[in-house]
Amino acid sequence: MTARPFDLGGKVAIVTGGNGGIGLGMAQGLGEAGAAVAIVGRNAAKSEQAIADLKSRGVKAISVSADVTDKDAIGAMVARARSELGRIDILVNNAGMSIRKPPHVLELDEWERVIDTNLTSAFLCSKAVHSAMKDAGGGKVINIGSMMSIFGASFAPAYAASKGGIVQFTRACACAWAADNIQVNAILPGWIDTDLTRRARVEVNGLHERVLARTPAARWGDISDFAGIAVFLASPASDFVTGTAIPVDGGYSIAG
Ligand code: NDP
């Protein structure tokens, strides 16, 4: 363990979906702990705003436009982050989406869109950074699961399959890459106030109240709640922590 276990000075992080929501919260934390950050997304206006936010915090940040379901775009994204920022030490597989339909109504193309965005992207991005991390002597991969990595939900079959898969993918990579000094962990967010859930709150009657009633902390999570866990899992403080799936949920998953 180093003298400054949470210091990310000199490190470089890629955060997919880092231009908004939970990804931006993690990019803020990583940047404020000293890392240079490449945020990845498709929406140029959102990315521009996120870069301005990060720069106002004194963070060295670039935005790379890429669709994480596109293997070639991922290759180009990793190459650009590496050439502009010099190295890659941390990958956060955060980009995600959901389609709210029960399994007997969901179409195959909708299933594939969710699985490709939430799960296959994590495989492709992790594979794309592996050699850079191995050559540098180690690295950190942080995958974003969900409460639906644990619980069932009638309205989210593809989302739940992708988020359950993220936990097992995390464990597989943790075992495969331990010898390369690459630690791989997952974060399981509870109900967090972002664009994703803002839409659900409008569409689903009573969701807001049900979340408050079930969450011991009695509030929705904020994107700033993800800064600390990101820094921990990206820093030397977690060098002997690998293959875990850590809820950041205000107690939602342990409430009776
Ligand atoms: P947001 O909708 O705010 O953010 C999702 C991000 O993913 C956006 O920045 C978006 O960027 C990016 N993204 C989506 N699809 C693609 C794609 N194909 N290629 C590149 N980027 C993409 O949602 P959250 O912040 O809430 O979600 C972040 C992660 O956290 C997701 O994996 C989600 O499943 C997970 N999560 C969220 C919870 C919550 O309560 N909010 C709870 C549990 C898990 P752009 O618009 O530029 O494409």
Side-chain angles (χ1 to χ4, degrees):
M1 175 77 65
T2 68
R4 305 183 65 200
F6 298 102
D7 183 14
L8 297 180
K11 303 289 186 189
V12 172
I14 293 175
V15 183
T16 70
N19 61 359
I22 292 172
L24 180 58
M26 292 189 289
Q28 290 165 347
L30 296 172
E32 286 177 339
V37 184
I39 55 166
V40 181
R42 299 162 301 177
N43 181 323
K46 255 171 67 181
S47 296
E48 206 175 302
Q49 242 183 331
I51 290 291
D53 172 287
L54 290 166
K55 291 200 167 147
S56 75
R57 295 164 189 266
V59 176
K60 179 173 182 187
I62 63 166
S63 128
V64 185
S65 174
D67 183 332
V68 295
T69 65
D70 177 340
K71 180 171 173 281
D72 294 338
I74 289 171
M77 174 277 283
V78 169
R80 197 178 139 214
R82 199 173 180 184
S83 82
E84 283 200 29
L85 299 175
R87 48 188 294 134
I88 296 171
D89 306 283
I90 301 152
L91 168 67
V92 184
N93 286 311
N94 163 79
M97 48 95 67
S98 183
I99 296 176
R100 301 178 68 86
K101 287 186 181 177
H104 51 285
V105 173
L106 193 73
E107 297 292 346
L108 176 60
D109 67 308
E110 295 173 323
W111 167 274
E112 288 173 342
R113 194 150 25 110
V114 175
I115 298 288
D116 287 352
T117 305
N118 297 3
L119 182 57
T120 310
S121 68
F123 160 62
L124 292 173
C125 291
S126 302
K127 188 173 175 198
V129 300
H130 174 254
S131 65
M133 288 185 179
K134 185 178 174 185
D135 294 350
K140 304 280 188 177
V141 179
I142 303 170
N143 297 321
I144 307 305
S146 159
M147 287 297 100
M148 281 163 220
S149 302
I150 308 172
F151 300 114
S154 59
F155 55 85
Y159 186 81
S162 73
K163 295 300 187 180
I166 274 285
V167 172
Q168 287 304 96
F169 177 65
T170 297
R171 292 174 178 150
C173 293
C175 293
W177 296 342
D180 301 326
N181 191 31
I182 299 169
Q183 289 80 48
V184 187
N185 291 284
I187 297 170
L188 312 183
W191 289 88
I192 316 305
D193 182 21
T194 67
D195 287 351
L196 191 78
T197 50
R198 254 167 244 145
R199 208 182 54 233
R201 269 199 271 186
V202 172
E203 289 168 3
V204 184
N205 227 344
L207 175 66
H208 176 70
E209 292 72 22
R210 282 202 301 281
V211 167
L212 286 184
R214 163 80 197 257
T215 305
R219 66 172 175 88
W220 284 66
D222 184 78
I223 65 167
S224 61
D225 290 315
F226 290 82
I229 188 75
V231 171
F232 171 62
L233 291 178
S235 67
S238 61
D239 279 353
F240 201 52
V241 179
T242 199
T244 64
I246 303 176
V248 176
D249 65 350
Y252 184 93
S253 58
I254 50 83

